[in-house]
């Protein structure tokens, strides 16, 4: 759980998969990395890694959810002029706020109306609760007291009255999922055809995720069996410091102190420093292992491949130039080369790996039995392997890990009554 919180905390600050180092020697950043790191790694066995393929099943609920996206996308907001507002309703209101009978700046909607959701508007005091129970067309007073630490000096601790009109209760109307809706809004003609297409799409995407999970599991296994003889201490310290500074900047962007920001994720300053250093060290360990395999297998990255990755990332980040991409991501030239190098190394390991199947398990057990020199041992080994493989085949595969791309922190509520 703490690991997940830590990943959330870092989201939007700097991905730990991309922390640059300084290349030396070769003018090609990939070659420079291999020169810098490979000599300090004792590699574990990365050839013919055996693994149990991840096979996540797509459920009926998954397909239902995908199909119902069409319904949600075509839902319409409707203003109801009847009924009674309750907590959770979205409502349209107008108001004029006064303190001691005098209007204050920002406290008047000027008849333009504004929408809030009762119970979660973020407005001051018990503003929302005083709207509940009213009907569209009602005009009434909402009495509140601004908090002592309110952002506007002249309103701090002041009692205020908002002359409020409930204009409408906003509801959502969802269309029925029919052949007509599907035909109008998609390239398909019937619900059945659309459902089959969405299921096939989900299966394909999940299969791709499962492959990525298998690749990541192999890298985790390799990191456990490989040893780094010496870490680049200067880089370790610089990357740790850089990441801490980025988290501080993220806290400032939310107008929070670092301690407040960390507290939101269940960290204190000391625990955070330790987590940062551990994460950076793990990243550098992975980077060194990747470079060691690339060196041993003569896996390289040229400028054309790096430029293609840059263009791919610019599209992903919706930017038009490298300098903007660098500013948004914190990446350096070496990072782009490393992304490609890591992808090529992981693909190399995966393509050489051996999936554990009923046949391979049985074959392994048979060979082991033959080596004992007895027919009985061979039969026993084969039977045991077959049973083990059958059991393994029926186990539910683990769900693919989700990308850590969530927001770094929820913004502090701006208590207001606009």
């Amino acid at each position: 759980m703490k690991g997940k919180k830590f990943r959330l905390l870092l989201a939007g600050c700097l991905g730990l998969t991309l922390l640059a180092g300084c290349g030396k020697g070769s003018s090609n950043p990939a070659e420079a990395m291999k020169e810098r790191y490979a000599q300090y790694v004792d590699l574990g066995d990365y050839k013919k890694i055996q693994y149990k393929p991840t096979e996540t099943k797509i459920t009926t609920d998954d397909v239902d959810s995908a199909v119902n996206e069409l319904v949600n996308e075509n839902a319409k907001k409707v203003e109801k002029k009847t009924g009674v507002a309750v907590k959770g309703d979205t409502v349209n209101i107008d108001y004029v706020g006064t303190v001691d009978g005098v209007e204050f700046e920002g406290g008047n909607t000027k008849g333009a109306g504004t929408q809030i959701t009762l119970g979660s508007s973020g407005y001051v005091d018990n503003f929302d609760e005083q709207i509940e129970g009213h009907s569209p067309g009602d005009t009434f007073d909402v009495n509140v007291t601004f908090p002592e630490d309110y952002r506007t000096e002249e309103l701090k601790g002041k009692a205020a009255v908002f002359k409020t009109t409930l204009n409408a209760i906003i509801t959502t109307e969802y269309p029925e999922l029919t052949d007509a809706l599907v035909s109008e809004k998609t390239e398909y003609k019937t619900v059945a055809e659309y459902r089959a297409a969405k299921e096939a799409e989900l299966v394909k995407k999940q299969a791709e995720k499962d492959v990525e999970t298998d690749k990541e599991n192999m890298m985790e296994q390799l990191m456990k069996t490989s040893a780094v003889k010496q870490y680049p201490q200067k880089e370790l310290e610089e990357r740790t410091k850089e990441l801490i500074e980025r988290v501080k900047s993220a806290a400032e962007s939310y107008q929070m102190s670092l301690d407040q920001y960390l507290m939101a994720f269940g960290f204190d300053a000391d625990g955070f420093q330790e987590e940062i250093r551990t994460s950076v060290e793990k990243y550098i360990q992975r980077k060194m292992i990747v470079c060691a395999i690339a060196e041993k297998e003569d896996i390289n990255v040229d400028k054309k491949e790096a430029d293609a990755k840059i263009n791919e990332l610019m599209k992903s980040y919706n930017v038009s130039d490298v300098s903007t991409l660098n500013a948004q991501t914190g990446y350096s030239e070496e990072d782009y080369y490393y992304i490609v190098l890591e992808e090529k190394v992981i693909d190399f390991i995966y393509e050489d790996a051996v999936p554990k199947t009923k046949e391979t398990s049985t074959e392994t057990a048979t060979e082991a039995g033959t080596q004992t020199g007895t027919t009985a041992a061979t039969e026993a080994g084969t039977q045991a392997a077959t049973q083990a493989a059958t059991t393994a085949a029926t186990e539910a595969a683990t769900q693919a890990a989700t990308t850590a791309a969530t927001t770094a922190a929820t913004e502090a509520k701006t208590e207001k009554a606009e």
Side-chain angles (χ1 to χ4, degrees):
M1 177 61 72
K2 195 166 187 178
K4 181 178 180 181
K5 287 183 178 180
F6 184 69
R7 290 192 296 274
L8 288 173
L9 185 152
L10 294 180
C13 298
L14 182 65
L16 283 174
T17 55
L18 295 170
L19 293 170
C22 300
K24 296 180 181 179
S26 173
S27 60
N28 180 294
E31 292 296 331
M33 283 186 286
K34 291 193 286 184
E35 291 173 12
R36 188 163 73 247
Y37 296 128
Q39 60 186 310
Y40 298 110
V41 179
D42 284 333
L43 284 171
D45 187 7
Y46 60 89
K47 294 288 190 70
K48 304 297 180 186
I49 294 177
Q50 289 198 1
Y51 71 101
K52 179 183 175 183
T54 304
E55 297 177 350
T56 306
K57 303 300 181 185
I58 297 301
T59 68
T60 300
D61 287 344
D62 294 330
V63 180
D64 288 344
S65 179
V67 169
N68 285 333
E69 287 178 8
L70 181 65
V71 173
N72 295 331
E73 289 167 0
N74 290 280
K76 295 179 180 179
K77 297 292 184 181
V78 178
E79 293 190 352
K80 287 177 56 180
K81 299 296 185 179
T82 59
V84 176
V86 298
K87 184 175 181 179
D89 280 349
T90 297
V91 296
N92 183 291
I93 59 173
D94 276 301
Y95 51 72
V96 177
T98 59
V99 172
D100 297 329
V102 179
E103 286 188 33
F104 55 87
E105 185 178 355
N108 190 337
T109 59
K110 298 179 181 180
T114 187
Q115 287 188 17
I116 64 172
T117 299
L118 300 181
S120 59
S121 70
Y123 281 15
V124 297
D125 206 8
N126 60 341
F127 189 99
D128 293 15
E129 288 85 345
Q130 295 178 66
I131 296 175
E132 294 171 18
H134 286 284
S135 298
D138 289 353
T139 297
F140 47 91
D141 288 343
V142 173
N143 297 282
V144 301
T145 300
F146 288 98
E148 295 292 342
D149 60 350
Y150 192 66
R151 68 181 186 278
T152 305
E153 186 66 32
E154 58 269 25
L155 295 177
K156 289 182 176 180
K158 296 293 181 66
V161 178
F162 287 88
K163 180 69 71 175
T164 304
T165 299
L166 175 56
N167 298 320
I169 300 171
I170 312 299
T171 61
T172 304
E173 290 186 354
Y174 296 92
E176 185 179 353
L177 182 63
T178 62
D179 291 347
L181 178 68
V182 168
S183 180
E184 179 185 355
K185 300 296 181 180
T186 77
E187 60 185 298
Y188 305 100
K189 299 300 182 183
T190 66
V191 173
E193 186 180 334
Y194 180 65
R195 183 181 180 86
K198 297 303 287 186
E199 182 173 8
E201 180 183 318
L202 287 175
V203 169
K204 182 181 181 215
K205 287 182 178 179
Q206 189 58 59
E208 292 170 352
K209 289 180 181 179
D210 286 348
V211 167
E212 293 306 311
T213 297
D214 291 338
K215 290 180 178 180
E216 189 59 31
N217 288 341
M218 290 178 198
M219 281 303 300
E220 289 292 330
Q221 179 180 332
L222 185 55
M223 288 176 71
K224 290 176 182 177
T225 58
S226 300
V228 172
K229 295 177 287 188
Q230 181 180 326
Y231 281 94
Q233 290 302 316
K234 183 178 179 181
E235 182 179 355
L236 184 62
E237 296 299 332
E238 288 177 351
R239 298 311 132 207
T240 300
K241 181 179 178 181
E242 179 183 348
L243 196 51
I244 290 172
E245 289 303 314
R246 284 182 175 269
V247 174
K248 286 181 179 177
S249 297
E252 290 171 2
S253 71
Y254 291 107
Q255 298 182 329
M256 299 169 70
S257 69
L258 179 61
D259 286 345
Q260 290 173 325
Y261 190 72
L262 295 177
M263 192 178 299
F265 293 91
F267 285 97
D268 57 31
D270 290 340
F272 168 67
Q273 296 263 3
E274 182 180 347
E275 289 282 353
I276 285 283
R277 185 175 179 86
T278 299
S279 296
V280 172
E281 185 174 292
K282 185 174 181 180
Y283 159 75
I284 293 178
Q285 177 196 12
R286 181 183 178 115
K287 189 174 184 179
M288 294 176 75
I289 290 170
V290 166
C291 290
I293 296 173
E295 175 71 16
K296 195 168 182 178
E297 299 296 335
D298 196 26
I299 299 173
N300 300 300
V301 178
D302 59 31
K303 187 176 186 302
K304 184 178 179 180
E305 291 172 313
D307 287 345
K309 179 56 66 175
I310 290 172
N311 290 330
E312 177 187 325
L313 289 170
M314 284 197 298
K315 290 180 182 178
S316 176
Y317 281 86
N318 194 28
V319 298
S320 58
D321 60 272
V322 179
S323 59
T324 304
L325 178 65
N326 292 344
Q328 288 193 19
T329 62
Y331 297 171
S332 70
E333 181 187 24
E334 182 177 284
D335 290 328
Y336 302 117
Y337 277 81
Y338 177 69
I339 296 172
V340 180
L341 186 67
E342 184 183 70
E343 288 175 353
K344 293 175 82 170
V345 166
I346 292 176
D347 285 345
F348 173 83
I349 295 170
Y350 178 75
E351 289 166 8
D352 188 58
V354 180
K356 292 181 181 178
T357 63
K358 178 178 178 180
E359 290 76 14
T360 57
S361 298
T362 302
E363 182 180 335
T364 300
T366 302
E367 289 174 356
T370 301
Q371 290 172 2
T372 66
T374 66
T375 303
T378 303
E379 292 175 349
T382 302
Q383 182 178 3
T386 302
Q387 292 173 345
T390 302
T391 301
T394 60
E395 292 177 358
T398 55
Q399 181 70 34
T402 56
T403 322
T406 57
T407 56
T410 54
E411 295 190 35
K413 278 189 176 180
T414 303
E415 295 177 312
K416 64 180 180 177
E418 296 180 300

